[in-house]
């Protein structure tokens, strides 16, 4: 993408901003489709920037800047080619600047500045005045600019983003902690990497709406929250196409709950991803509309009975793929909304019915397309890189994770929360405490979904028993899974007396901690398997620079034979195993074990791949 001069061209009518050049704005679509307002302005495009490797910017007064010498295309990170920068060394600090014109039509409204995500710490300044700080590289946040801006005037917006990805206090996910990418760690992402936008909201406007779909009673239970309480009324309308199927009006108070009965509800599932449209209107005593938000919901239920996961009260076998959400040109940021949709379509074409979204919190537009297309997801956070034993790391992660759960809990396609990946006993005191707190926090924020505490790692408090197994021999893989899932069912296994420095006045205590092993009373799920390497020209050339699991096959025929053997072996264990996640959807840089190449072109005859992955237990 060439960097071109970004001009804001907007037409103002009845308080609504219509962006005349929206097609010229990178990632110009509305970024929050489950909570959409009409009065908004996309701030993506060319900004000024400067690196601040000495972290002296505040001493030099950069928060008061009216321009910087560099140009960067937002929302793409400076490491990416789409940003126009392409700097891939460590970036500890970067400053952004652009002018923002607040529409005069927004007078009397609160002006909110929204960020999809900024990695990792963000400070926001307006005309040199500090506005807000946010800590956390994946969760969205809003800044109330009302006191700092004047409708009809332009202001200087400055964002300072800092990151210390090797500090162990922040989750890095698959961002590499060395200079260059290696094994299953890839190019880093720093600074603004999701859409920035501004919107006008009534001071008493809707802050959020938590939607719980109760299919057993045939109802939607909606808990709204408001920016302030002023004796107004919230009107809620639920539609099936253009037909109203339910409506309610409740007092606009943070204690209000709306229960809407939906007769003969149409349920959401991968086979039938039906969505109801929801409209929220905040009206005053005169009947004037103060705030209006459009949304949607899918009525579905996910729960666990015994060792099976249920969808809509029926056992539902999940055939997932590991999706890391990396792009050759955008790194963590998809080059377009269409690219997000296409990744889901490619996965479904390969025979998968969902994905474990691995070591990255995906943007809301991905969840939107998953909802629309009928695609199961497991929500995860970039936990790798943090010290799960550290107090500061725990505080950072718990806060960011709670923001992600609150942001995404209304999406019907998201079935399971799995916050961490492969944690292996950082210690026997703080790690169990942290993991139990993480489970309890997740359940408090969203009691409707199962929680997988640490995918493939040591389980402390979990609803699903997940394991990772990259044994390449199909027969050996089946044998290991069978023994692990059946023969080794001991309720508790003691790790003995372990010294643990818990930091109380330098005391060192002996701690006996017994952790659970699989007992057959919860779903057993292989949420990483396969990882069979296949690189271009693998059958003819050595591929020592690429990375994958096990000894690579020498031909496509050998690849397909191994793949089919592994998946069939898992399917045959349907009484012990209730789903799998294959590694992975696409290659990522040097890791070349996807079913598609990094550029999303297919490696194999996808009809053969689909025939393997589309099978459920019991299929002939």
């Amino acid at each position: 993408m060439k960097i071109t001069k970004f001009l804001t061209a907007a037409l103002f009518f009845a308080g609504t901003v219509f962006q005349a050049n929206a097609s010229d704005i990178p990632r110009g679509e509305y970024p929050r489709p489950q909570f959409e307002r009409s009065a908004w302005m996309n701030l993506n495009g060319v900004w000024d920037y400067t690196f601040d490797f000495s972290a002296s910017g505040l001493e030099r007064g950069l928060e008061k800047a009216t321009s910087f010498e560099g140009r960067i295309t937002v929302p793409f990170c400076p490491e990416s080619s789409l940003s126009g920068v392409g700097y891939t060394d460590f970036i500890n600090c970067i400053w952004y600047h652009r002018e923002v014109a607040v529409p005069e039509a927004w007078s009397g409204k609160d002006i909110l500045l929204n960020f999809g995500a900024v990695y990792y710490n963000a400070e926001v300044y307006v005309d040199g005045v500090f506005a807000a700080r946010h800590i956390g590289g994946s969760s969205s946040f809003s800044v109330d600019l009302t006191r700092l801006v004047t409708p009809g005037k332009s202001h200087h917006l400055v964002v300072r983003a800092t990151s210390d990805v090797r500090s162990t206090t922040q989750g890095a996910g698959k961002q590499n902690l060395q200079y260059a990418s290696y094994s299953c760690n890839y190019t880093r992402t720093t600074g603004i990497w999701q859409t920035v936008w501004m919107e006008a909201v009534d001071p008493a406007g809707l802050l959020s709406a938590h939607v719980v779909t109760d299919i057993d009673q045939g109802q939607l239970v909606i808990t709204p929250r408001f920016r302030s309480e002023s004796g107004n009324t919230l009107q809620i309308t639920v539609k099936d196409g253009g037909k109203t199927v339910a409506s309610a009006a409740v007092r606009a108070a943070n204690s209000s709950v709306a229960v809407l009965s939906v007769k003969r509800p149409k349920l959401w599932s991968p086979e039938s991803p039906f969505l109801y449209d929801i409209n929220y209107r905040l009206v005053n005593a005169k009947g004037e509309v103060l705030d209006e938000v459009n949304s949607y919901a899918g009525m579905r239920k996910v729960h666990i009975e015994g060792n099976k996961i249920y969808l809509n009260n029926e056992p539902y076998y999940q055939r997932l793929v590991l999706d890391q959400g990396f792009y050759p040109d955008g790194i963590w940021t998809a080059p377009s909304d269409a690219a997000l949709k296409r990744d889901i379509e490619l996965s479904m074409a390969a025979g998968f019915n969902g994905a474990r979204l691995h070591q990255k919190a995906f943007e809301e537009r991905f969840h939107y397309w998953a909802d629309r297309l009928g695609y199961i997801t497991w929500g995860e956070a970039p936990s790798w890189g943090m010290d799960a034993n550290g107090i500061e790391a725990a505080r950072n992660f718990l806060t960011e994770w709670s923001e992600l759960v609150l942001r995404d809990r209304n999406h019907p396609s998201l079935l399971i929360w799995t916050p961490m990946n492969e944690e292996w006993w950082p210690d026997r005191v703080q790690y169990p405490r942290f993991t139990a707190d993480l489970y309890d926090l997740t359940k408090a924020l969203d009691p409707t979904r199962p929680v997988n505490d640490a995918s493939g790692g040591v389980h402390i408090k979990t609803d699903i028993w997940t394991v990772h197994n990259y044994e390449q021999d199909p027969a050996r893989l089946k044998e290991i899974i069978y023994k692990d899932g059946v023969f080794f069912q001991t309720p508790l296994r003691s790790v003995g007396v372990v010294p643990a420095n818990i930091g109380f006045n330098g005391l060192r205590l002996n701690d006996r901690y017994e952790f659970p092993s699989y007992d057959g009373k919860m779903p057993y799920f292989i949420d990483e398997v396969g990882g069979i390497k296949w690189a271009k020209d693998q059958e003819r050339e050595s591929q020592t620079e690429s990375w994958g699991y096990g000894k690579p096959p020498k031909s496509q025929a050998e690849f397909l034979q191994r793949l089919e053997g592994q998946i069939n072996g898992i399917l045959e264990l349907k009484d012990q195993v209730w789903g799998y996640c294959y590694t992975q959807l696409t290659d990522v840089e040097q890791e070349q074990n996807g079913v598609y190449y990094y550029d999303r072109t297919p490696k194999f005859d996808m009809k053969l791949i689909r025939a393997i992955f589309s099978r459920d237990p019991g299929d002939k």
Side-chain angles (χ1 to χ4, degrees), residues 23-64:
S23 61
D24 298 329
I25 300 174
R27 299 303 307 272
E29 66 281 349
Y30 192 82
R32 192 180 56 198
Q34 268 199 330
F35 203 81
E36 185 171 351
R37 290 188 172 95
S38 59
W40 77 290
M41 179 185 295
N42 194 314
L43 299 182
N44 291 344
V46 176
W47 292 42
D48 309 332
Y49 87 96
T50 187
F51 291 132
D52 182 13
F53 297 118
S54 64
S56 62
L58 289 171
E59 298 173 61
R60 292 182 283 131
L62 296 190
E63 75 276 11
K64 300 181 178 67

Side-chain angles (χ1 to χ4, degrees), residues 180-187 533 545-548 587-593 598:
S181 299
Y182 63 96
S183 65
C184 58
N185 297 274
Y186 326 112
T187 303
K533 177 185 170 183
E545 73 279 5
S546 63
W547 190 88
D587 292 347
V588 182
E589 299 184 5
Q590 71 284 342
E591 184 175 1
Q592 298 184 331
N593 49 20
Y598 199 16

Side-chain angles (χ1 to χ4, degrees), residues 73 102 114 119-120 138 157 171 198 205-206 237 247 254 279 290 335 353 361 385 398 419 427 440 442 521 593 597:
T73 300
V102 180
N114 304 304
Y119 192 88
Y120 180 75
S138 299
L157 171 63
M198 195 164 57
L206 192 63
T237 305
S247 62
N254 289 328
N279 175 263
L290 304 178
N353 60 16
L398 288 168
D427 80 342
D440 292 340
T442 307
K521 296 180 180 178
N593 49 20
Y597 291 112

Side-chain angles (χ1 to χ4, degrees), residues 257-274:
V257 176
V259 180
L260 296 92
S261 176
V262 180
K263 296 181 179 179
R264 296 182 296 279
K266 297 180 180 179
L267 303 186
W268 184 98
S269 69
E271 294 72 27
S272 180
F274 181 82

Side-chain angles (χ1 to χ4, degrees), residues 347-369:
S347 176
M348 296 172 74
F352 300 106
N353 60 16
R356 177 179 161 221
L357 308 180
H358 183 51
Q359 282 302 284
K360 174 190 170 185
F362 282 48
E363 59 181 282
E364 289 188 75
R365 292 293 305 189
F366 185 93
H367 293 294
Y368 164 77
W369 285 117

Side-chain angles (χ1 to χ4, degrees), residues 125 288 325 523 546:
Y125 299 86
E288 299 169 328
S546 63

Side-chain angles (χ1 to χ4, degrees), residues 105-211:
W106 288 3
S107 296
K109 300 288 187 179
D110 284 353
I111 311 302
L112 300 184
L113 176 66
N114 304 304
F115 293 85
V118 180
Y119 192 88
Y120 180 75
N121 297 329
E123 294 177 3
V124 180
Y125 299 86
V126 177
D127 296 332
V129 179
F130 176 78
R133 175 181 293 108
H134 180 264
I135 298 176
S138 299
S139 54
S140 305
F141 64 98
S142 296
V143 181
D144 191 337
L145 300 182
T146 310
R147 64 183 177 86
L148 300 174
V149 298
T150 302
K153 294 186 177 181
S154 294
H155 299 270
H156 291 283
L157 171 63
V158 171
V159 178
R160 177 178 182 257
T162 60
S163 175
D164 186 0
V165 76
R166 293 192 284 192
S167 67
T168 74
T169 63
Q170 62 190 64
K174 289 301 192 76
Q175 301 181 72
N176 58 67
L177 305 185
Q178 300 178 13
Y179 168 74
S181 299
Y182 63 96
S183 65
C184 58
N185 297 274
Y186 326 112
T187 303
R188 290 171 291 276
T189 289
T190 308
I192 298 172
W193 67 277
Q194 289 185 32
T195 291
V196 185
W197 79 102
M198 195 164 57
E199 63 182 340
V201 184
D202 190 89
L206 192 63
L207 184 63
S208 66
H210 183 198
V211 180

